[in-house]
Amino acid sequence: MLSAEEKQEIEHELTKFPIRKSACLEALMIIQKHRDYVSDDGLKDVADYLGMSATELDGIATFYNLIYRKPVGKKVIRICDSVSCFIMGYEQIRSKIQEELGIKLGETTPDQEFTLLPTPCLGTCDKAPALMINDELHRNLNPNNVVQILRK
Ligand code: FES
């Protein structure tokens, strides 16, 4: 069930759209902000509120890589695996992170601190390789500075 606060925030988003389901992505982001990820129950709550089927909404939720359908760590590392980053050393950066955190792509550290996920181009190809940790962009990575960034 949606909380009063969640409903209020979704209602605010609904004022920007002509039909209720057009605000579904914003509504999912609101649920994620309050609950850390979008569980099946959270997805159903939003679908019911917007008059959509859970299946239809799940198709949208799983399409967007910023919607987490499973629990994630406090810090989500999204490492770019698109062409410029790939050419400029993605694989070394990814293996350094995996080695440092002891997790593979798609996994979360046992202390729930970090989740490592792949992401398409972050729009900073001229400073590849790049990744984001939550909302913070890190560019011009190399195996040394990526470890310093993680330890910070
Ligand atoms: S390819 Fe990685 S930022 Fe564009």
Side-chain angles (χ1 to χ4, degrees):
M1 197 168 133
L2 295 175
S3 70
E5 199 177 357
E6 289 167 343
K7 277 186 192 168
Q8 188 183 12
E9 290 178 30
I10 292 171
E11 281 302 322
H12 175 72
E13 293 301 324
L14 285 170
T15 62
K16 303 173 189 170
F17 296 94
I19 54 172
R20 291 180 75 76
K21 64 176 165 180
S22 301
C24 64
L25 202 49
E26 286 73 10
L28 289 169
M29 292 302 282
I30 288 167
I31 294 300
Q32 183 164 283
K33 181 181 81 177
H34 287 280
R35 306 181 190 186
D36 299 328
Y37 76 104
V38 180
S39 66
D40 289 347
D41 286 346
L43 185 98
K44 188 166 179 345
D45 291 343
V46 172
D48 290 347
Y49 197 69
L50 299 180
M52 304 171 69
S53 75
T55 307
E56 183 184 11
L57 185 59
D58 195 30
I60 294 163
T62 50
F63 180 77
Y64 286 96
N65 61 359
L66 290 177
I67 301 293
Y68 307 131
R69 289 286 283 120
K70 291 194 298 188
V72 291
K74 286 186 208 132
K75 298 177 190 78
V76 178
I77 303 168
R78 294 185 302 116
I79 180 168
C80 174
D81 61 1
S82 292
V83 66
S84 296
C85 287
F86 197 87
I87 290 168
M88 295 303 289
Y90 157 83
E91 289 193 13
Q92 293 105 303
I93 302 299
R94 188 206 61 211
S95 25
K96 201 71 190 174
I97 296 171
Q98 291 180 330
E99 184 187 310
E100 183 73 12
L101 300 179
I103 55 173
K104 296 180 184 149
L105 278 178
E107 293 181 345
T108 298
T109 52
D111 63 1
Q112 311 299 311
E113 200 61 32
F114 291 99
T115 296
L116 179 61
L117 299 174
T119 192
C121 182
L122 292 167
T124 185
C125 313
D126 60 326
K127 299 207 170 26
L131 59 73
M132 289 192 78
I133 302 179
N134 291 346
D135 295 333
E136 205 171 303
L137 181 63
H138 298 273
R139 306 178 291 184
N140 291 320
L141 299 172
N142 61 53
N144 292 328
N145 67 14
V146 78
V147 169
Q148 290 166 0
I149 289 165
L150 291 177
R151 290 182 182 168
K152 247 200 303 188

